[in-house]
């Protein structure tokens, strides 16, 4: 994702100029990966900018911090207000929002206990994560030779900075081979998720996605898609997915805040279905985009308007 400079960054309760948002080189997070974060999107609508499922993201942030025994010195409500104020101060119509909670300056040792917990929030303008073209035409993916971290090694339910070292290895590998995105298998060899997205398969009209026990992040887009699918009368099954089920699926797509609904048209150079974006993928993609852009009734209370 390209970084598009904005005016302000929120740091520990204050708005600081973009280029003054600095931390010390000895900050614990830099050396030991001790940070938890969120990726949230703000969409332009007729009623002004709306932040999609903001509260759900902040609750997940709190839970990620809890897993790592970090006490966030701000409440969910305070962070929600700070984010809205940041969108206003940066005059953004749409944005990618990145709150991050991290261990700051304290000791140089893996022991994080007692090291101060700090919070920053960044919000800037962002286009399509996997590219405009890709969201329309679909992408070619590869199963990485790197597995997703095993249960009871790193907790997948925490959206922690250190987790993304695993994503980086997988991504570097597949990009080097000419693919757009990596699919990781879990410790047991079942399909887990993409480097930064959850995965769905369509087979005979049924939607399949891996369970939390396949070391996935409990994606908010994943949850939204499951609810939208059910509403459309599409059956959803949460099941362990063997690797080869990818090859014989009718449709595959990846979902995430940044990636939204991105179709997958091949896996390991094997065409999925007829090699084009599937019907159910298209339908869910369209419905998701209508909801986030405020073009449909907000049945689930997912839209948090910045100026209302
Ligand atoms: N799995 C992983 C590993 C993941 O990083 C994300 C979000 C998801 C699933 C989907 O979760 P959700 O956004 O709640 O639907 N990945 C973030 C991007 C990470 C990056 O910096 O790139 C995101 O989409 O914001």
């Amino acid at each position: 994702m390209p970084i598009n400079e904005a005016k302000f960054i929120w740091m520990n309760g204050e708005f600081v100029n973009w280029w003054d948002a600095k931390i010390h080189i000895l900050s614990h997070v830099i050396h030991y990966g001790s940070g938890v974060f969120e990726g949230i999107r703000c969409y332009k609508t007729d009623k002004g900018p709306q932040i999609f499922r903001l509260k759900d993201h902040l609750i997940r942030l709190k839970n990620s911090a809890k897993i790592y025994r970090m006490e966030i010195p701000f409440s969910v409500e305070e962070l929600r207000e700070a984010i809205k104020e940041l969108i206003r101060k940066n005059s953004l119509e749409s944005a990618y929002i990145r709150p991050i909670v991290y261990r700051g300056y304290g000791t140089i040792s893996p022991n994080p206990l007692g090291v101060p917990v700090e919070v920053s929030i960044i919000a800037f303008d962002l286009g399509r994560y996997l590219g405009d073209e890709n969201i329309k035409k679909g992408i070619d993916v590869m199963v990485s030779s790197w597995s997703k971290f095993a249960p009871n090694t790193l907790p997948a339910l925490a959206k922690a900075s250190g987790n993304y070292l695993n994503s980086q290895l997988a991504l570097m590998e597949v990009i080097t081979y000419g693919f757009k995105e990596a699919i990781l298998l879990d410790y047991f060899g079942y399909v887990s998720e993409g480097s930064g997205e959850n995965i769905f398969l369509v087979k005979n009209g049924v939607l399949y996605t891996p369970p939390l026990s396949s070391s996935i992040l409990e994606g908010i887009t994943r949850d939204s898609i499951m609810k939208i699918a059910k509403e459309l009368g599409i059956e959803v099954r949460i099941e362990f997915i063997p690797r080869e089920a990818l090859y014989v699926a009718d449709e595959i797509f990846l979902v995430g805040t940044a990636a939204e609904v991105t179709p997958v048209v091949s896996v390991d150079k094997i065409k999925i279905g007829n090699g084009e974006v599937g019907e159910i993928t298209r339908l869910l993609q369209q419905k998701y985009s209508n909801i986030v852009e405020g073009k449909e009734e907000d049945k689930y209370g997912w839209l948090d308007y910045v100026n209302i």
Side-chain angles (χ1 to χ4, degrees):
M1 283 189 272
I3 294 170
N4 296 311
E5 183 184 333
K7 280 178 257 168
F8 300 105
I9 288 178
W10 185 98
M11 288 186 98
N12 300 311
E14 320 247 334
F15 292 94
V16 303
N17 287 320
W18 183 268
W19 291 104
D20 295 331
K22 294 173 184 170
I23 60 169
H24 198 278
I25 190 65
L26 274 169
S27 297
H28 201 269
V29 62
I30 292 186
H31 299 256
Y32 307 112
S34 37
V36 295
F37 68 92
E38 275 303 317
I40 311 170
R41 261 189 199 263
C42 173
Y43 290 89
K44 182 181 172 183
T45 79
D46 288 344
K47 291 193 259 174
Q50 74 84 8
I51 305 171
F52 190 64
R53 302 192 67 173
L54 176 56
K55 198 155 179 211
D56 294 325
H57 278 282
L58 291 174
I59 289 169
R60 187 171 68 186
L61 181 68
K62 225 175 160 222
N63 286 334
S64 296
K66 187 175 187 187
I67 292 168
Y68 280 99
R69 300 173 191 265
M70 289 166 146
E71 186 91 47
I72 305 181
F74 299 92
S75 67
V76 163
E77 208 38 52
E78 284 168 329
L79 293 175
R80 184 165 160 256
E81 272 317 308
I83 287 173
K84 289 186 172 186
E85 187 57 22
L86 185 62
I87 295 291
R88 289 189 286 259
K89 279 184 90 85
N90 281 341
S91 314
L92 292 162
E93 286 191 312
S94 67
Y96 185 70
I97 305 163
R98 170 61 59 88
I100 181 160
V101 176
Y102 49 96
R103 298 270 186 188
Y105 185 94
T107 60
I108 181 117
S109 141
N111 174 15
L113 297 172
V115 178
V117 173
E118 306 198 11
V119 189
S120 289
I121 307 166
I122 305 113
F124 61 86
D125 189 40
L126 172 78
R128 301 275 190 220
Y129 177 56
L130 295 168
D132 243 336
E133 190 73 347
N134 299 324
I135 214 155
K136 277 190 214 121
K137 289 197 175 159
I139 57 168
D140 300 307
V141 306
M142 175 183 151
V143 175
S144 174
S145 66
W146 291 99
S147 294
K148 183 85 193 215
F149 37 81
N152 209 33
T153 58
L154 289 172
L157 291 185
K159 192 170 169 65
S161 304
N163 292 1
Y164 291 86
L165 283 170
N166 179 239
S167 296
Q168 288 177 47
L169 288 168
L171 264 181
M172 286 190 286
E173 177 186 35
V174 308
I175 289 171
T176 302
Y177 293 147
F179 295 86
K180 270 265 149 27
E181 184 53 275
I183 303 300
L184 289 98
L185 304 179
D186 70 14
Y187 176 73
F188 304 99
Y190 294 108
V191 175
S192 177
E193 60 180 349
S195 71
E197 310 87 12
N198 290 113
I199 189 166
F200 282 94
L201 275 67
V202 179
K203 182 81 179 168
N204 299 326
V206 177
L207 203 53
Y208 295 87
T209 198
L212 299 188
S213 41
S214 278
S215 302
I216 64 165
L217 179 71
E218 189 173 15
I220 288 165
T221 320
R222 172 181 177 271
D223 178 72
S224 307
I225 289 295
M226 289 196 290
K227 292 202 165 97
I228 294 168
K230 282 181 192 157
E231 199 185 309
L232 293 171
I234 301 165
E235 187 185 341
V236 182
R237 291 192 202 153
I238 298 175
E239 282 182 13
F240 289 114
I241 297 175
R243 174 177 184 162
E244 63 276 21
L246 294 171
Y247 305 141
V248 296
D250 298 328
E251 303 179 25
I252 299 179
F253 56 91
L254 298 172
V255 304
T257 296
E260 302 180 290
V261 178
T262 297
V264 170
V265 290
S266 80
V267 179
D268 298 339
K269 299 266 183 190
I270 298 177
K271 239 193 237 178
I272 303 309
N274 60 8
E276 280 168 20
V277 178
E279 224 174 283
I280 292 183
T281 306
R282 211 34 113 208
L283 185 68
L284 291 167
Q285 196 182 41
Q286 193 53 53
K287 184 104 176 159
Y288 182 77
S289 121
N290 286 345
I291 291 174
V292 298
E293 286 166 17
K295 292 178 184 156
E296 274 193 37
E297 184 203 345
D298 179 21
K299 275 188 204 158
Y300 304 97
W302 285 339
L303 277 55
D304 200 340
Y305 288 95
V306 173
N307 300 319
I308 299 175

